[in-house]
């Protein structure tokens, strides 16, 4: 039975690799495929079947790890995934929700390894082909910054993938990461930033690397040691969300204007979306406009919501946001209890990144929604699989 479980797990991981790589490439790289929708339909359909079969097989063989409340949560979660798929990008969202559930049964570092592998291929191949003039760049002059997409569809995409790549790599290697690896990550991050000029992911990823260097040198825990820091770290997702709402609605005008300018006026788009669409329990489908009449990025009608929290509050509804905040809080406190210092730091930078960037729950972009699957299952001493 154990051998059969290992085979099924490998099939699941290989499926995540191919599904994640194909969706990441199609959704982020500046290429035009003739049969784009057909490819996505086939890939998503196959992934849904394999993920679903894996979950059913796991349930039949590991009944001791399943409890009634967790099973009810899974059913509700998957129903919500179907509902939200109508607001988002269709069956890719259904596949993502099934992936999250299945991922809850697998060591998180195995999932990170898969993400690191296919993201490496995406980043290296796209940038290399862009340098060879095979894949064109998108070049924009925004806020006085000349920004180059490095072959990706938009100027921030390479930086976003690099941010999640660095977070994943630092957790995967942990305290055993070498200084050569850390230097390589810094060089790669600076290289991407020098072209894309995307501030938020660059600042947070460099901050994370510096923290890991300090932790590696001193071998002293900070976030999982002091009570006040444990409290802040444990509730970092709700605190980030509340602070963002305060910033949007209650902050002094001068402070809001400074922050709004710092994040390229993303706060204004969040306020506009909240005022125009409102908030519903199960969300709503909205049209986000990112191009002008000539097909260029921006324009007077541009209304894209960059914040993960606000975008999902409007599109997926407040029920989804409550689940996300609760889920990450549960994971954070388990990580603190188990003294997983680097994972806790990752959750902090992810929560802050989500204030101004939307990719956290897109599983082909970020592997960090996959750890939420662990809240559905019961393991010894309620420990994380990592």
């Amino acid at each position: 039975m154990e051998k059969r479980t290992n085979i099924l797990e490998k099939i699941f991981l290989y499926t995540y690799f191919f599904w994640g790589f194909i969706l990441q490439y199609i959704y982020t790289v500046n290429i035009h495929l003739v049969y784009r929708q057909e490819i996505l339909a086939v890939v998503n359909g196959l992934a849904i079947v394999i993920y679903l079969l894996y979950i059913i097989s796991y349930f039949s063989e590991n009944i001791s790890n399943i409890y009634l409340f967790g099973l009810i949560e899974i059913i509700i979660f998957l129903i919500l995934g179907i509902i939200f798929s109508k607001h988002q990008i269709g069956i890719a969202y259904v596949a993502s929700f099934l992936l999250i559930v299945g991922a809850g049964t697998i060591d998180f570092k195995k999932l990170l390894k898969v993400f690191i592998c296919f993201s490496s291929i995406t980043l290296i191949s796209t940038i290399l082909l862009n340098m060879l003039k095979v894949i064109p760049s998108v070049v924009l002059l925004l806020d006085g910054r000349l920004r180059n997409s490095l072959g990706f569809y938009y100027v921030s995409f390479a930086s976003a993938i690099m941010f999640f790549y660095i977070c994943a790599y630092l957790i995967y290697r942990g305290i055993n990461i070498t200084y050569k690896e850390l230097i390589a990550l810094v060089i790669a991050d600076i290289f991407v930033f020098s072209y894309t000029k995307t501030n938020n992911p660059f600042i947070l990823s460099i901050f994370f690397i510096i923290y890991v260097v300090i932790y590696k040198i001193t071998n002293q825990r900070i976030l999982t040691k002091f009570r006040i820091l444990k409290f802040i770290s444990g509730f970092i997702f709700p605190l980030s969300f509340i602070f963002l709402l305060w910033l949007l609605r209650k902050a002094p005008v001068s402070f809001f204007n400074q922050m709004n300018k710092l994040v390229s006026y993303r706060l204004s788009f969040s306020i506009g979306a909240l005022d125009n669409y409102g908030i519903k329990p199960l969300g709503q489908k909205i049209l986000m406009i990112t191009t002008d009449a000539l097909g260029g990025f921006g324009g007077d009608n541009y209304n894209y919501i960059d914040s993960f929290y606000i975008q999902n509050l409007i599109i997926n509804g407040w029920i989804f946001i409550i689940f996300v905040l609760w889920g990450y809080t549960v994971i954070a406190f388990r990580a603190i209890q188990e003294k997983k210092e680097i994972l806790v730091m990752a959750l902090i930078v992810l929560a802050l990144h989500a204030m101004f960037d939307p990719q956290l729950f897109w599983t082909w972009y970020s592997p960090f929604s996959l750890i939420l699957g662990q809240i559905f299952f019961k393991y010894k001493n309620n420990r994380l699989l990592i």
Side-chain angles (χ1 to χ4, degrees):
M1 182 179 293
E2 184 176 348
K3 183 178 180 180
R4 181 171 180 269
T5 301
N6 290 336
I7 293 173
L8 290 172
E9 183 179 290
K10 287 181 180 179
I11 293 173
F12 183 91
L13 291 172
Y14 276 115
T15 303
Y16 174 41
F17 174 87
F18 288 109
W19 177 83
F21 171 68
I22 292 171
L23 263 66
Q24 187 180 77
Y25 224 89
I26 289 177
Y27 283 135
T28 67
V29 179
N30 191 23
I31 56 174
H32 300 281
L33 297 176
V34 177
Y35 298 105
R36 183 176 188 268
Q37 294 304 321
E38 289 80 2
I39 293 171
L40 287 172
V42 171
V43 170
N44 283 313
L46 288 173
I48 287 172
V49 171
I50 294 172
Y51 294 154
L52 187 59
L53 289 175
Y54 173 83
I55 293 168
I56 294 171
S57 177
Y58 182 87
F59 280 16
S60 66
E61 296 180 4
N62 298 274
I63 194 67
S64 61
N65 291 337
I66 303 165
Y67 61 109
L68 181 59
F69 184 65
L71 183 60
I72 294 172
E73 285 179 322
I74 290 172
I75 294 171
I76 294 174
F77 182 70
L78 294 179
I79 291 173
L80 290 176
I82 295 171
I83 294 172
F84 299 152
S85 69
K86 298 177 181 178
H87 305 158
Q88 294 270 358
I89 51 177
I91 61 172
Y93 222 56
V94 177
S96 293
F97 274 57
L98 285 168
L99 173 62
I100 291 169
V101 174
T105 68
I106 297 173
D107 188 321
F108 188 53
K109 284 194 175 181
K110 294 181 180 180
L111 297 159
L112 292 179
K113 183 178 180 180
V114 172
F115 174 80
I116 290 168
C117 288
F118 71 70
S119 294
S120 296
I121 297 172
T122 299
L123 285 167
I124 294 171
S125 65
T126 303
I127 294 173
L128 181 61
L129 290 172
N130 175 250
M131 296 296 179
L132 295 173
K133 309 298 183 183
V134 177
I135 297 178
S137 279
V138 174
V139 180
L140 300 175
L141 181 62
L142 298 172
D143 303 323
R145 295 174 294 167
L146 187 63
R147 305 176 65 185
N148 186 316
S149 73
L150 286 172
F152 290 85
Y153 183 68
Y154 188 65
V155 291
S156 64
F157 287 2
S159 291
I161 296 173
M162 179 60 73
F163 168 76
F164 291 114
Y165 179 92
I166 289 173
C167 290
Y169 196 90
L170 292 175
I171 296 172
Y172 179 74
R173 294 289 289 131
I175 195 69
N176 296 318
I177 193 170
T178 65
Y179 292 111
K180 288 182 180 179
E181 289 173 291
L182 290 166
I183 291 171
L185 290 177
V186 171
I187 292 172
D189 206 17
I190 292 174
F191 171 80
V192 171
F193 175 74
S194 68
Y195 282 87
T196 65
K197 305 293 193 303
T198 309
N199 296 325
N200 187 38
F202 175 71
I203 293 170
L204 289 172
S205 55
I206 291 295
F207 176 71
F208 192 6
I209 291 171
I210 292 172
Y211 187 86
V212 171
V213 170
I214 295 171
Y215 179 54
K216 183 174 175 64
I217 292 172
T218 64
N219 200 27
Q220 293 294 316
R221 292 181 292 103
I222 299 175
L223 300 174
T224 58
K225 182 178 181 180
F226 298 103
R227 182 174 298 178
I228 183 63
L229 292 179
K230 288 196 289 186
F231 176 86
I232 294 171
S233 300
F235 287 106
I236 189 61
F237 274 87
L239 289 173
S240 298
F241 177 61
I242 292 169
F243 176 74
L244 179 60
L245 292 180
W246 173 83
L247 194 58
L248 296 176
R249 295 301 192 189
K250 299 295 183 180
V253 174
S254 60
F255 181 69
F256 171 85
N257 288 336
Q258 289 177 349
M259 288 296 296
N260 195 28
K261 185 177 180 180
L262 185 65
V263 296
S264 303
Y265 303 99
R266 295 177 180 183
L267 298 178
S268 296
F269 295 122
S270 292
I271 290 176
L274 288 169
D275 291 341
N276 291 332
Y277 299 109
I279 304 168
K280 299 179 181 180
L282 294 175
Q284 59 200 298
K285 187 175 180 63
I286 67 172
L287 177 63
M288 288 193 283
I289 301 170
T290 59
T291 57
D292 57 24
L294 299 175
F297 288 100
D300 295 336
N301 295 321
Y302 183 93
N303 68 342
Y304 191 82
I305 311 167
D306 287 281
S307 169
F308 165 81
Y309 298 119
I310 303 303
Q311 184 182 117
N312 284 277
L313 182 63
I314 293 171
I315 296 177
N316 288 342
W318 58 261
I319 292 176
F320 175 80
I321 284 294
I322 289 174
F323 166 78
V324 169
L325 298 178
W326 167 74
Y328 278 116
T329 301
V330 170
I331 296 297
F333 274 106
R334 288 186 188 178
I336 292 167
Q337 185 179 11
E338 297 172 29
K339 298 179 173 38
K340 298 187 181 298
E341 187 81 7
I342 295 178
L343 176 58
V344 173
M345 188 64 219
L347 292 171
I348 291 173
V349 297
L350 289 166
L352 298 176
H353 182 266
M355 292 175 65
F356 308 111
D357 287 280
Q359 303 95 354
L360 181 62
F361 226 76
W362 299 339
T363 48
W364 55 91
Y365 235 125
S366 161
F368 294 101
S369 59
L370 304 184
I371 199 170
L372 292 179
Q374 296 193 28
I375 64 178
F376 300 132
F377 300 93
K378 179 175 62 178
Y379 300 109
K380 187 177 181 180
N381 299 324
N382 220 22
R383 295 183 66 84
L384 294 172
L385 292 179
I386 183 171

